Amino acid sequence: MKRILVTGGAGFIGSHLCERLIAQGHEVLCVDNFYTGTRRNVAHLLEDQNFELMRHDVTFPLFVEIDEIYNLACPASPIHYQFDPVQTTKTSVHGAINMLGLAKRRRAKIFQASTSEVYGDPTEHPQTEEYWGNVNPIGFRSCYDEGKRCAETLFFDYHRQHRLRIKVARIFNTYGPRMHPNDGRVVSNFVVQALKGQAITLYGDGQQTRSFCYVDDLVEGFLRLMATGDEVTGPINLGNPGEFTMKQLAEVVVELTGSKSKIEFRPLPPDDPRQRQPDISKAKAILDWQPTVHLEEGIRRTIAYFDELLASGEA
Ligand code: NAD
Ligand code: UDP
Ligand code: UDP
């Protein structure tokens, strides 16, 4: 049994991670400032004596006694991370420095939730970990992309300079229960629209593709990466290479909800990538990991979550 710190633990992915760690018998300290996460996401864990919830902003130092750290604190959807872009960069950069300082003092293993956005608007497809990316340093997305890139730099410098044990995962689009209902992302938008009987807003011709990973598969990848030997630092891509068009996604959501919603075409936002797909050869080879939850099954579970959320009047 270990004492494990999860920053951003009251968020979408973090809450699933806390749940898995508790189920494995660990003590979990969940640290969150509730910027995009909620107490509701971890309400079912509060009764567990191995679970502790602490309101704290990771841009400030944190002195706690733990054995492992999963650093997930950072708003993830464009609407949220662009709302206060300076705070977004501070969270990624100052947050990483504080958590690395904590890991250094405790000699703790530390995991970083990085992102496919470090590849920017990629000129290579699919993206392997060797690709250095194509990122605009001064655009609207830069607070997130460059913040996460700088965090990766800090992780590797603490590793080289202070021999810290690091695990850097580059996460691709992920979906599932406890996604934020108003974060503007395609899965939450389509499911909420279908359940409310509103028009499904399909941008462009709907032929653009994405590859979405179900959250349980992703968390399994986190645990396997954390369990690797000290020589494994990453960065390592975690995502689902199964590619489908947004039109197909809209049709699956309409079918599985039994909704009468019609698909409405809207203009494609600027710089919308035609395609995004992870190359997960490394994760397969090193972690013996690949996603197992099919789109339909994952969407079914996501629908069940939003159905309950809407019925409770909280969204
Ligand atoms: P989320 O917004 O649901 O979770 C982020 C959590 O961090 C929230 O609970 C939020 O309140 C908390 N937080 C934000 N700033 C904080 C601060 N300064 N101090 C303490 N807590 C803070 O997002 P998510 O989708 O669960 O993402 C979790 C992590 O995974 C993020 O680091 C994100 O960048 C990364 N990621 C997610 C995706 C995805 O598809 N969801 C893809 C790539 C990377
Ligand atoms: N830090 C922290 N908790 C700890 C140890 C350090 O929050 O348990 C913070 C500390 O405040 C510092 C940062 O982590 O700002 C980086 O720590 P490090 O030891 O690398 O740097 P230094 O303290 O030498 O600047
Ligand atoms: N999209 C859409 N309707 C929506 C929201 C998004 O058709 O209501 C499209 C969007 O244009 C993009 C894809 O779905 O092509 C994925 O969008 P999302 O914002 O979820 O993720 P990202 O573009 O960052 O991969």
PDB file of all heavy atoms in Angstrom, residues 6-15 18 30-34 36-42 51 53 178:
ATOM      1  N   VAL A   6      -2.758  12.668  -6.011  1.00  0.00           N
ATOM      2  CA  VAL A   6      -3.298  12.906  -7.353  1.00  0.00           C
ATOM      3  C   VAL A   6      -3.684  14.376  -7.428  1.00  0.00           C
ATOM      4  O   VAL A   6      -4.619  14.812  -6.748  1.00  0.00           O
ATOM      5  CB  VAL A   6      -4.536  12.020  -7.651  1.00  0.00           C
ATOM      6  CG1 VAL A   6      -5.087  12.321  -9.047  1.00  0.00           C
ATOM      7  CG2 VAL A   6      -4.193  10.535  -7.523  1.00  0.00           C
ATOM      8  N   THR A   7      -2.965  15.180  -8.226  1.00  0.00           N
ATOM      9  CA  THR A   7      -3.373  16.578  -8.398  1.00  0.00           C
ATOM     10  C   THR A   7      -4.385  16.631  -9.546  1.00  0.00           C
ATOM     11  O   THR A   7      -4.274  15.880 -10.510  1.00  0.00           O
ATOM     12  CB  THR A   7      -2.186  17.516  -8.696  1.00  0.00           C
ATOM     13  OG1 THR A   7      -1.756  17.320 -10.046  1.00  0.00           O
ATOM     14  CG2 THR A   7      -1.026  17.291  -7.730  1.00  0.00           C
ATOM     15  N   GLY A   8      -5.390  17.494  -9.414  1.00  0.00           N
ATOM     16  CA  GLY A   8      -6.474  17.513 -10.401  1.00  0.00           C
ATOM     17  C   GLY A   8      -7.361  16.282 -10.240  1.00  0.00           C
ATOM     18  O   GLY A   8      -8.041  15.859 -11.171  1.00  0.00           O
ATOM     19  N   GLY A   9      -7.362  15.727  -9.031  1.00  0.00           N
ATOM     20  CA  GLY A   9      -8.059  14.462  -8.775  1.00  0.00           C
ATOM     21  C   GLY A   9      -9.578  14.571  -8.776  1.00  0.00           C
ATOM     22  O   GLY A   9     -10.271  13.559  -8.854  1.00  0.00           O
ATOM     23  N   ALA A  10     -10.113  15.812  -8.702  1.00  0.00           N
ATOM     24  CA  ALA A  10     -11.572  15.961  -8.739  1.00  0.00           C
ATOM     25  C   ALA A  10     -12.067  16.264 -10.154  1.00  0.00           C
ATOM     26  O   ALA A  10     -13.231  16.592 -10.364  1.00  0.00           O
ATOM     27  CB  ALA A  10     -12.019  17.072  -7.786  1.00  0.00           C
ATOM     28  N   GLY A  11     -11.163  16.140 -11.126  1.00  0.00           N
ATOM     29  CA  GLY A  11     -11.545  16.357 -12.523  1.00  0.00           C
ATOM     30  C   GLY A  11     -12.046  15.078 -13.168  1.00  0.00           C
ATOM     31  O   GLY A  11     -12.211  14.052 -12.507  1.00  0.00           O
ATOM     32  N   PHE A  12     -12.265  15.171 -14.463  1.00  0.00           N
ATOM     33  CA  PHE A  12     -12.805  14.039 -15.231  1.00  0.00           C
ATOM     34  C   PHE A  12     -11.884  12.805 -15.119  1.00  0.00           C
ATOM     35  O   PHE A  12     -12.262  11.778 -14.539  1.00  0.00           O
ATOM     36  CB  PHE A  12     -13.013  14.511 -16.680  1.00  0.00           C
ATOM     37  CG  PHE A  12     -13.036  13.434 -17.724  1.00  0.00           C
ATOM     38  CD1 PHE A  12     -13.859  12.312 -17.567  1.00  0.00           C
ATOM     39  CD2 PHE A  12     -12.262  13.541 -18.870  1.00  0.00           C
ATOM     40  CE1 PHE A  12     -13.888  11.321 -18.553  1.00  0.00           C
ATOM     41  CE2 PHE A  12     -12.288  12.564 -19.850  1.00  0.00           C
ATOM     42  CZ  PHE A  12     -13.095  11.451 -19.683  1.00  0.00           C
ATOM     43  N   ILE A  13     -10.669  12.907 -15.623  1.00  0.00           N
ATOM     44  CA  ILE A  13      -9.778  11.741 -15.616  1.00  0.00           C
ATOM     45  C   ILE A  13      -9.302  11.444 -14.189  1.00  0.00           C
ATOM     46  O   ILE A  13      -9.266  10.284 -13.762  1.00  0.00           O
ATOM     47  CB  ILE A  13      -8.564  11.969 -16.549  1.00  0.00           C
ATOM     48  CG1 ILE A  13      -9.029  12.158 -17.996  1.00  0.00           C
ATOM     49  CG2 ILE A  13      -7.592  10.795 -16.455  1.00  0.00           C
ATOM     50  CD1 ILE A  13      -7.923  12.578 -18.970  1.00  0.00           C
ATOM     51  N   GLY A  14      -8.963  12.498 -13.434  1.00  0.00           N
ATOM     52  CA  GLY A  14      -8.429  12.323 -12.086  1.00  0.00           C
ATOM     53  C   GLY A  14      -9.361  11.542 -11.170  1.00  0.00           C
ATOM     54  O   GLY A  14      -8.903  10.713 -10.366  1.00  0.00           O
ATOM     55  N   SER A  15     -10.669  11.784 -11.292  1.00  0.00           N
ATOM     56  CA  SER A  15     -11.610  11.091 -10.402  1.00  0.00           C
ATOM     57  C   SER A  15     -11.616   9.586 -10.694  1.00  0.00           C
ATOM     58  O   SER A  15     -11.728   8.773  -9.779  1.00  0.00           O
ATOM     59  CB  SER A  15     -13.017  11.681 -10.541  1.00  0.00           C
ATOM     60  OG  SER A  15     -13.500  11.519 -11.855  1.00  0.00           O
ATOM     61  N   CYS A  18      -8.369   8.220  -9.103  1.00  0.00           N
ATOM     62  CA  CYS A  18      -8.504   8.078  -7.644  1.00  0.00           C
ATOM     63  C   CYS A  18      -9.284   6.808  -7.313  1.00  0.00           C
ATOM     64  O   CYS A  18      -8.904   6.045  -6.417  1.00  0.00           O
ATOM     65  CB  CYS A  18      -9.234   9.283  -7.051  1.00  0.00           C
ATOM     66  SG  CYS A  18      -8.254  10.788  -7.042  1.00  0.00           S
ATOM     67  N   CYS A  30      -6.188  13.519  -2.713  1.00  0.00           N
ATOM     68  CA  CYS A  30      -6.670  14.188  -3.922  1.00  0.00           C
ATOM     69  C   CYS A  30      -6.589  15.694  -3.683  1.00  0.00           C
ATOM     70  O   CYS A  30      -7.209  16.223  -2.765  1.00  0.00           O
ATOM     71  CB  CYS A  30      -8.110  13.752  -4.168  1.00  0.00           C
ATOM     72  SG  CYS A  30      -8.980  14.682  -5.415  1.00  0.00           S
ATOM     73  N   VAL A  31      -5.787  16.371  -4.511  1.00  0.00           N
ATOM     74  CA  VAL A  31      -5.600  17.813  -4.367  1.00  0.00           C
ATOM     75  C   VAL A  31      -6.199  18.511  -5.580  1.00  0.00           C
ATOM     76  O   VAL A  31      -5.900  18.140  -6.720  1.00  0.00           O
ATOM     77  CB  VAL A  31      -4.087  18.126  -4.246  1.00  0.00           C
ATOM     78  CG1 VAL A  31      -3.807  19.575  -4.559  1.00  0.00           C
ATOM     79  CG2 VAL A  31      -3.578  17.775  -2.859  1.00  0.00           C
ATOM     80  N   ASP A  32      -7.069  19.504  -5.331  1.00  0.00           N
ATOM     81  CA  ASP A  32      -7.749  20.162  -6.458  1.00  0.00           C
ATOM     82  C   ASP A  32      -8.219  21.542  -6.008  1.00  0.00           C
ATOM     83  O   ASP A  32      -8.626  21.714  -4.853  1.00  0.00           O
ATOM     84  CB  ASP A  32      -8.960  19.318  -6.885  1.00  0.00           C
ATOM     85  CG  ASP A  32      -9.345  19.543  -8.334  1.00  0.00           C
ATOM     86  OD1 ASP A  32      -9.730  20.694  -8.677  1.00  0.00           O
ATOM     87  OD2 ASP A  32      -9.275  18.597  -9.121  1.00  0.00           O
ATOM     88  N   ASN A  33      -8.192  22.520  -6.918  1.00  0.00           N
ATOM     89  CA  ASN A  33      -8.734  23.838  -6.560  1.00  0.00           C
ATOM     90  C   ASN A  33     -10.155  24.029  -7.110  1.00  0.00           C
ATOM     91  O   ASN A  33     -10.691  25.130  -7.060  1.00  0.00           O
ATOM     92  CB  ASN A  33      -7.811  24.965  -7.047  1.00  0.00           C
ATOM     93  CG  ASN A  33      -7.778  25.083  -8.554  1.00  0.00           C
ATOM     94  OD1 ASN A  33      -8.285  24.198  -9.251  1.00  0.00           O
ATOM     95  ND2 ASN A  33      -7.196  26.149  -9.075  1.00  0.00           N
ATOM     96  N   PHE A  34     -10.727  22.961  -7.668  1.00  0.00           N
ATOM     97  CA  PHE A  34     -12.107  22.953  -8.185  1.00  0.00           C
ATOM     98  C   PHE A  34     -12.334  23.993  -9.284  1.00  0.00           C
ATOM     99  O   PHE A  34     -13.417  24.554  -9.406  1.00  0.00           O
ATOM    100  CB  PHE A  34     -13.130  23.125  -7.044  1.00  0.00           C
ATOM    101  CG  PHE A  34     -12.978  22.091  -5.978  1.00  0.00           C
ATOM    102  CD1 PHE A  34     -12.716  22.458  -4.663  1.00  0.00           C
ATOM    103  CD2 PHE A  34     -13.058  20.740  -6.281  1.00  0.00           C
ATOM    104  CE1 PHE A  34     -12.546  21.489  -3.670  1.00  0.00           C
ATOM    105  CE2 PHE A  34     -12.885  19.765  -5.296  1.00  0.00           C
ATOM    106  CZ  PHE A  34     -12.633  20.145  -3.997  1.00  0.00           C
ATOM    107  N   THR A  36     -12.098  23.393 -12.676  1.00  0.00           N
ATOM    108  CA  THR A  36     -13.010  22.707 -13.612  1.00  0.00           C
ATOM    109  C   THR A  36     -13.552  21.408 -13.009  1.00  0.00           C
ATOM    110  O   THR A  36     -14.520  20.861 -13.514  1.00  0.00           O
ATOM    111  CB  THR A  36     -12.310  22.380 -14.953  1.00  0.00           C
ATOM    112  OG1 THR A  36     -11.063  21.728 -14.650  1.00  0.00           O
ATOM    113  CG2 THR A  36     -12.056  23.628 -15.754  1.00  0.00           C
ATOM    114  N   GLY A  37     -12.924  20.923 -11.970  1.00  0.00           N
ATOM    115  CA  GLY A  37     -13.398  19.702 -11.320  1.00  0.00           C
ATOM    116  C   GLY A  37     -14.410  20.038 -10.234  1.00  0.00           C
ATOM    117  O   GLY A  37     -14.610  21.210  -9.900  1.00  0.00           O
ATOM    118  N   THR A  38     -15.067  19.017  -9.701  1.00  0.00           N
ATOM    119  CA  THR A  38     -16.088  19.239  -8.675  1.00  0.00           C
ATOM    120  C   THR A  38     -15.981  18.190  -7.567  1.00  0.00           C
ATOM    121  O   THR A  38     -15.504  17.080  -7.804  1.00  0.00           O
ATOM    122  CB  THR A  38     -17.526  19.108  -9.255  1.00  0.00           C
ATOM    123  OG1 THR A  38     -17.679  17.779  -9.756  1.00  0.00           O
ATOM    124  CG2 THR A  38     -17.791  20.103 -10.369  1.00  0.00           C
ATOM    125  N   ARG A  39     -16.473  18.555  -6.384  1.00  0.00           N
ATOM    126  CA  ARG A  39     -16.547  17.597  -5.280  1.00  0.00           C
ATOM    127  C   ARG A  39     -17.445  16.424  -5.656  1.00  0.00           C
ATOM    128  O   ARG A  39     -17.222  15.298  -5.230  1.00  0.00           O
ATOM    129  CB  ARG A  39     -17.122  18.280  -4.033  1.00  0.00           C
ATOM    130  CG  ARG A  39     -16.246  19.380  -3.480  1.00  0.00           C
ATOM    131  CD  ARG A  39     -16.940  20.078  -2.314  1.00  0.00           C
ATOM    132  NE  ARG A  39     -17.079  19.171  -1.181  1.00  0.00           N
ATOM    133  CZ  ARG A  39     -16.129  18.988  -0.267  1.00  0.00           C
ATOM    134  NH1 ARG A  39     -15.014  19.674  -0.339  1.00  0.00           N
ATOM    135  NH2 ARG A  39     -16.312  18.136   0.712  1.00  0.00           N
ATOM    136  N   ARG A  40     -18.468  16.721  -6.481  1.00  0.00           N
ATOM    137  CA  ARG A  40     -19.403  15.678  -6.907  1.00  0.00           C
ATOM    138  C   ARG A  40     -18.692  14.503  -7.583  1.00  0.00           C
ATOM    139  O   ARG A  40     -19.091  13.353  -7.444  1.00  0.00           O
ATOM    140  CB  ARG A  40     -20.403  16.298  -7.896  1.00  0.00           C
ATOM    141  CG  ARG A  40     -21.836  15.842  -7.729  1.00  0.00           C
ATOM    142  CD  ARG A  40     -22.703  16.538  -8.759  1.00  0.00           C
ATOM    143  NE  ARG A  40     -22.306  16.096 -10.088  1.00  0.00           N
ATOM    144  CZ  ARG A  40     -22.836  15.042 -10.688  1.00  0.00           C
ATOM    145  NH1 ARG A  40     -23.794  14.353 -10.125  1.00  0.00           N
ATOM    146  NH2 ARG A  40     -22.412  14.680 -11.885  1.00  0.00           N
ATOM    147  N   ASN A  41     -17.618  14.820  -8.349  1.00  0.00           N
ATOM    148  CA  ASN A  41     -16.891  13.765  -9.067  1.00  0.00           C
ATOM    149  C   ASN A  41     -16.269  12.739  -8.127  1.00  0.00           C
ATOM    150  O   ASN A  41     -16.014  11.606  -8.534  1.00  0.00           O
ATOM    151  CB  ASN A  41     -15.790  14.373  -9.947  1.00  0.00           C
ATOM    152  CG  ASN A  41     -16.336  15.012 -11.218  1.00  0.00           C
ATOM    153  OD1 ASN A  41     -17.462  14.724 -11.617  1.00  0.00           O
ATOM    154  ND2 ASN A  41     -15.539  15.869 -11.845  1.00  0.00           N
ATOM    155  N   VAL A  42     -15.979  13.146  -6.886  1.00  0.00           N
ATOM    156  CA  VAL A  42     -15.345  12.221  -5.939  1.00  0.00           C
ATOM    157  C   VAL A  42     -16.223  11.988  -4.702  1.00  0.00           C
ATOM    158  O   VAL A  42     -15.768  11.397  -3.725  1.00  0.00           O
ATOM    159  CB  VAL A  42     -13.943  12.719  -5.507  1.00  0.00           C
ATOM    160  CG1 VAL A  42     -12.950  12.592  -6.655  1.00  0.00           C
ATOM    161  CG2 VAL A  42     -13.989  14.144  -4.990  1.00  0.00           C
ATOM    162  N   PHE A  51      -9.257   7.702   1.541  1.00  0.00           N
ATOM    163  CA  PHE A  51      -9.349   8.815   0.600  1.00  0.00           C
ATOM    164  C   PHE A  51      -9.419  10.148   1.340  1.00  0.00           C
ATOM    165  O   PHE A  51     -10.177  10.299   2.290  1.00  0.00           O
ATOM    166  CB  PHE A  51     -10.588   8.666  -0.282  1.00  0.00           C
ATOM    167  CG  PHE A  51     -10.720   9.751  -1.317  1.00  0.00           C
ATOM    168  CD1 PHE A  51      -9.952   9.725  -2.471  1.00  0.00           C
ATOM    169  CD2 PHE A  51     -11.604  10.810  -1.125  1.00  0.00           C
ATOM    170  CE1 PHE A  51     -10.056  10.728  -3.426  1.00  0.00           C
ATOM    171  CE2 PHE A  51     -11.710  11.829  -2.077  1.00  0.00           C
ATOM    172  CZ  PHE A  51     -10.934  11.778  -3.225  1.00  0.00           C
ATOM    173  N   LEU A  53      -9.570  14.456   0.556  1.00  0.00           N
ATOM    174  CA  LEU A  53      -9.739  15.518  -0.435  1.00  0.00           C
ATOM    175  C   LEU A  53      -9.250  16.834   0.150  1.00  0.00           C
ATOM    176  O   LEU A  53      -9.630  17.205   1.262  1.00  0.00           O
ATOM    177  CB  LEU A  53     -11.221  15.633  -0.815  1.00  0.00           C
ATOM    178  CG  LEU A  53     -11.622  16.726  -1.798  1.00  0.00           C
ATOM    179  CD1 LEU A  53     -10.922  16.554  -3.145  1.00  0.00           C
ATOM    180  CD2 LEU A  53     -13.142  16.706  -2.009  1.00  0.00           C
ATOM    181  N   ARG A 178     -18.319  11.762 -16.332  1.00  0.00           N
ATOM    182  CA  ARG A 178     -17.709  12.873 -15.585  1.00  0.00           C
ATOM    183  C   ARG A 178     -16.966  13.861 -16.458  1.00  0.00           C
ATOM    184  O   ARG A 178     -16.248  14.722 -15.954  1.00  0.00           O
ATOM    185  CB  ARG A 178     -16.801  12.389 -14.449  1.00  0.00           C
ATOM    186  CG  ARG A 178     -17.537  11.476 -13.496  1.00  0.00           C
ATOM    187  CD  ARG A 178     -16.758  11.251 -12.210  1.00  0.00           C
ATOM    188  NE  ARG A 178     -17.198  10.002 -11.625  1.00  0.00           N
ATOM    189  CZ  ARG A 178     -16.430   8.941 -11.405  1.00  0.00           C
ATOM    190  NH1 ARG A 178     -15.130   9.013 -11.638  1.00  0.00           N
ATOM    191  NH2 ARG A 178     -16.943   7.840 -10.927  1.00  0.00           N
TER     192      ARG A 178
END
